[in-house]
Amino acid sequence: MYRNQTKEIRIGSVKIGGDNPVAIQSMTNTKTEDVEATVAQILRLEAAGCEIIRCAVPTMEAAQALGEIKKRIHIPLVADIHFDYRLAIAAIENGADKIRINPGNIGSPERVKAVVDCAKEHGIPIRVGVNSGSLEKHLLEKYGGVTAEGIVESALDKVHMIEEMGYDNLVVSIKSSDVLMCVRAHELIAEQCPYPLHVGITESGTVYSGNVKSSVGLGIILYEGIGNTIRVSLTGDPVEEIRTAKLILKTLGLRKGGIEVVSCPTCGRTKIDLIGLANQVEEMVADIPLDIKVAVMGCAVNGPGEAKEADIGIAGGVGEGLLIKKGQIVKKVKEEELLNTLRQELLNWNR
Ligand code: SF4
């Protein structure tokens, strides 16, 4: 797939932009000051596949906690700062691998410059983040409200301000909870901005609506070759964000690896608890490092045929199920043993 070419930027051990794969990131929802809870959550996110983590830094205590957090995690740590430039400086001094600021709410150009100089001294990138909700008055008036053009102009103004301060180690993000506006804004900025883009749909909602909005928005933007790192925003456990992000990238062919579980929609022929089984299978395969397709089908009438494209599958019968490989039935198994039989097959795959 064609990818929009951008500069390559290094965030700790992870490079984004250039020809690097789209990196998955998330944000903790613990109190950053609570090192134990924050580290525990980051380790769970790492295990799920998170590659860059961001923590909110609302207090000096949070900025100081970053040093200890960083020692105990294995992925780059990004500090998210609003309003107070001193917190940005403290976050950098405590080891942040990148900072995210909205220069529009950091204060005077002198304060922004103090942050830029500190980032330059430590050689870390700055993400310039603009949200549709924080658009300046003159842009709202110029464009007659919140528009994609206004969001892009706002972001580019800030990028140019930092460039004029002599720094180009930048990542840019523009966010809107209006999915189509967000898509349009990314199309516009990709033509004008040489820096990697962090893409996300902001305030996208609960796990259900957030997954749908993020999949549609990120799906279109990434499919157009735009975007270098993504965050799925959900009102929920951030581990869910990683699962969704991985599946979006995999669906678009931007990631390989991991077991893909396909399952039938169920119908009047279904004689086992297929919905429960499919969910159990999805959870069960999460830690198995294979790149194959597993089918979970509801019946023996169409199941084996429909599962042909999968490497392995199970199909339900009455009180029993079938184990299927490449469309061929290889074994009959009691319903209660189906899940474990499938797991054993996967663990012994290629042996
Ligand atoms: S596989 Fe069987 S149970 Fe599932 S939708 Fe098809 S016919 Fe219905």
Side-chain angles (χ1 to χ4, degrees):
M1 190 194 293
Y2 158 81
R3 304 292 313 155
N4 186 45
Q5 280 307 304
T6 70
K7 263 177 78 109
E8 180 178 275
I9 295 289
R10 189 178 58 77
I11 305 157
S13 56
V14 174
K15 289 182 192 156
I16 62 166
D19 290 324
N20 294 293
V22 177
I24 295 173
Q25 56 176 290
S26 183
M27 186 165 181
T28 50
N29 60 8
T30 52
K31 297 253 173 282
T32 307
E33 296 85 346
D34 184 344
V35 173
E36 293 304 322
T38 303
V39 167
Q41 188 171 67
I42 295 173
L43 294 180
R44 276 202 311 127
L45 286 161
E46 283 182 11
C50 181
E51 293 159 326
I52 299 170
I53 188 68
R54 179 162 45 117
C55 296
V57 177
T59 62
M60 203 44 92
E61 198 190 341
Q64 282 154 1
L66 296 179
E68 185 57 28
I69 293 169
K70 201 178 150 176
K71 275 191 223 152
R72 293 164 56 183
I73 63 171
H74 315 89
I75 54 176
L77 180 60
V78 181
D80 188 281
I81 294 110
H82 284 281
F83 310 119
D84 190 338
Y85 79 108
R86 289 165 302 187
L87 295 177
I89 290 174
I92 298 171
E93 287 172 346
N94 279 283
D97 294 303
K98 179 173 103 178
I99 53 163
R100 185 264 172 174
I101 56 169
N102 177 352
N105 70 26
I106 280 287
S108 63
E110 292 70 36
R111 291 182 170 182
V112 176
K113 180 146 189 336
V115 176
V116 171
D117 287 347
C118 188
K120 198 192 287 185
E121 192 187 318
H122 288 78
I124 65 152
I126 298 174
R127 165 151 76 96
V128 178
V130 174
N131 285 355
S132 56
S134 58
L135 217 53
E136 294 86 347
K137 203 162 162 250
H138 74 276
L139 291 173
L140 292 172
E141 282 165 9
K142 178 174 172 184
Y143 292 103
V146 177
T147 61
E149 288 76 8
I151 298 170
V152 170
E153 187 170 329
S154 175
L156 291 179
D157 283 349
K158 289 162 185 104
V159 165
H160 295 147
M161 174 169 80
I162 296 177
E163 284 175 334
E164 277 160 23
M165 292 171 180
Y167 207 47
D168 65 357
N169 191 4
L170 303 177
V171 177
V172 178
S173 67
I174 45 174
K175 293 192 185 171
S176 165
S177 55
D178 180 320
V179 174
L180 294 181
M181 187 187 293
C182 200
V183 170
R184 181 73 194 124
H186 281 86
E187 291 167 348
L188 290 173
I189 203 163
E191 291 169 359
Q192 305 172 60
C193 176
Y195 303 109
L197 295 174
H198 164 118
V199 186
I201 308 293
T202 195
E203 293 140 23
S204 49
T206 57
V207 172
Y208 169 69
S209 70
N211 275 337
V212 174
K213 283 190 182 181
S214 292
S215 302
V216 173
L218 295 179
I220 298 172
I221 293 166
L222 291 167
Y223 187 70
E224 291 180 347
I226 301 166
N228 308 94
T229 175
I230 58 169
R231 186 216 172 175
V232 172
S233 301
L234 300 175
T235 308
D237 183 346
V239 169
E240 292 296 326
E241 300 184 354
I242 304 302
R243 290 180 65 196
T244 305
K246 280 165 75 176
L247 193 51
I248 290 173
L249 293 181
K250 202 167 151 79
T251 306
L252 290 166
L254 292 168
R255 274 292 163 115
K256 296 260 173 291
I259 293 178
E260 181 184 355
V261 178
V262 295
S263 51
C264 80
T266 72
C267 73
R269 293 190 191 88
T270 317
K271 298 221 167 49
I272 58 169
D273 171 23
L274 192 80
I275 297 172
L277 188 60
N279 282 310
Q280 283 176 316
V281 170
E282 201 162 66
E283 254 175 54
M284 180 273 283
V285 301
D287 65 337
I288 301 178
L290 288 173
D291 186 7
I292 59 168
K293 195 184 268 192
V294 174
V296 184
M297 312 303 282
C299 76
V301 178
N302 289 335
E306 291 181 22
K308 243 185 209 146
E309 284 174 33
D311 299 277
I312 186 164
I314 49 179
V318 185
E320 62 176 16
L322 308 171
L323 186 73
I324 304 154
K325 284 188 181 166
K326 291 281 177 201
Q328 301 298 319
I329 298 169
V330 292
K331 214 193 256 181
K332 273 192 183 174
V333 189
K334 284 191 198 141
E335 183 176 346
E336 58 274 20
E337 289 167 12
L338 261 179
L339 190 68
N340 194 37
T341 304
L342 179 63
R343 182 164 176 86
Q344 293 313 315
E345 290 285 336
L346 294 172
L347 291 176
N348 291 306
W349 198 256
N350 291 336
R351 277 195 197 152

